[in-house]
Amino acid sequence: MKELIEKAEKTHQLSKAEIVLLLENHEIQEELFNAADRVRKEYVGDEVQLRGLIEFSNICKQKCLYCGLRASNKNVNRYRLQPDEIIELARKAKGYGYKTVVLQSGEDDYYTVEKITYIVTEIKKLEMAITLSIGEKTYEEYKAYRDAGADRYLLRIETTDKRLYEDMDPGMNHEDRKRCLEDLKEFGYEVGTGCLVGLPGQTIESLADDILFFKEIDADMIGIGPFIPNNDTPLKHSKGGDFDLSLRVMALTRLLLPDINIPATTAMEVINPQGRIIALKSGANVVMPNVTEGEARKWYALYPGKICVNDTPAHCRGCITGKIKGIGRDVSEGFGFHKKNSES
Ligand code: SAM
Ligand code: SF4
Ligand code: FES
């Protein structure tokens, strides 16, 4: 096993069978995490990239079985921020020192191409990098957002197991999801994808496929988080994802894609009170603190136990900076592009 970790650390290549062995092995995981931490340090350094997350609408037309925002959930108060409110949140995020905002929402057709391009154009005037995470769109829509100045796009593949994906996301299809990722690459976005760990019926083999898929599409960013069951969804009785397994998937992703950006995801912290810090010490180099204000923080409820719902954006900024410094790391002053694309 140790040889496998050494091989991954040196060559950044493993076969599917080798990945499966490491994913299954609990005993050696500390060494895996330490190797991922060394590779993170060597390739992307000690600086942690912060991105301010704006959750601007929890209205969604899709019905992903795992997600509290699914269209048929009647137990969530729905909200939509107006374009100028979103721009104002970005302005405030800049005031807290963020250089990037992530604009995330359900799949909400209220936000037409005109609205999104207006928001992107105005935020670009603030000299910030923009990541969009607003779901599946057409080729033309992705092009329009990119032309307006959007820098990055996050769209998790969720799982590379086509059957599982189509069971979990009724009405959606795996080919469409992959087409979206290809289109985004073609337009020159930095592309972020990722997976959920612990979906019902998901196998270790399919998690290994997920990691190989990330490498195959040459992703710029990979977000990995445990699936957390939500009582207001059909998956309320599921077991949910395991913290250590999620961390192993993340650490192996760092070993195989050494220079990409990897966030310490919020979901990691929901199932472990030190989750983001542990992730930062096991291969991650990005954190996305919430900069949404007021009740919306609470109602963007993908899963129960969401962190920071009663905190202010200013408080979170101070809190996360303190935690990062507490482990001897620094907050980056740059825009946090994929190393291969830029130095900032
Ligand atoms: N609607 C867009 C999409 O699906 O790509 C962006 C927003 S969606 C809420 C962002 C991510 O939340 C999804 O990609 C999914 O992986 C994650 N998510 C949804 N429900 C979750 C749950 N119950 N536990 C953990 N993560 C969840
Ligand atoms: Fe909608 Fe995204 Fe949630 Fe699916 S994961 S229901 S697309 S918000
Ligand atoms: Fe929100 Fe710590 S990051 S309270």
Side-chain angles (χ1 to χ4, degrees), residues 62 84 187 219 278 319:
Q62 301 295 359
D84 287 328
F187 292 127
I278 296 171
C319 164

Side-chain angles (χ1 to χ4, degrees), residues 219-336:
D220 299 292
M221 193 282 243
I222 295 295
I224 290 153
F227 154 56
I228 303 169
N230 183 327
N231 258 334
D232 296 326
T233 66
L235 299 186
K236 61 181 166 201
H237 297 304
S238 300
K239 187 164 158 284
D242 174 75
F243 181 75
D244 285 359
L245 178 59
S246 307
L247 211 56
R248 292 201 292 277
V249 175
M250 195 200 79
L252 276 158
T253 301
R254 169 61 72 200
L255 291 176
L256 297 199
L257 291 92
D259 69 352
I260 62 163
N261 285 319
I262 300 185
T265 55
T266 306
M268 291 278 202
E269 188 117 337
V270 172
I271 62 166
N272 181 316
Q274 298 300 321
R276 288 177 303 175
I277 289 299
I278 296 171
L280 284 175
K281 291 160 91 175
S282 310
N285 70 317
V286 176
V287 181
M288 292 165 36
N290 200 334
V291 297
T292 322
E293 292 182 350
E295 293 287 286
R297 282 167 93 86
K298 184 166 80 204
W299 290 119
Y300 197 85
L302 319 179
Y303 42 66
K306 190 181 177 205
I307 58 165
C308 307
V309 287
N310 296 316
D311 299 299
T312 62
H315 175 82
C316 288
R317 170 70 205 213
C319 164
I320 199 68
T321 303
K323 288 187 181 193
I324 290 166
K325 288 193 187 296
I327 55 166
R329 305 261 285 275
D330 269 323
V331 171
S332 166
E333 299 279 326
F335 290 102

Side-chain angles (χ1 to χ4, degrees), residues 60 62-64 66-67 69-70 105-107 158 172 302:
C60 187
Q62 301 295 359
K63 294 189 178 157
C64 307
Y66 41 79
C67 179
L69 306 192
R70 63 200 306 272
S105 68
E107 289 202 8
E158 314 292 2
M172 298 176 85
L302 319 179

Side-chain angles (χ1 to χ4, degrees), residues 56 80-88 110-111 115 119:
F56 66 88
R80 250 179 205 141
L81 301 186
Q82 290 307 305
D84 287 328
E85 295 177 294
I86 300 169
I87 296 159
E88 186 52 27
Y110 171 79
Y111 299 91
K115 286 195 176 75
I119 295 164

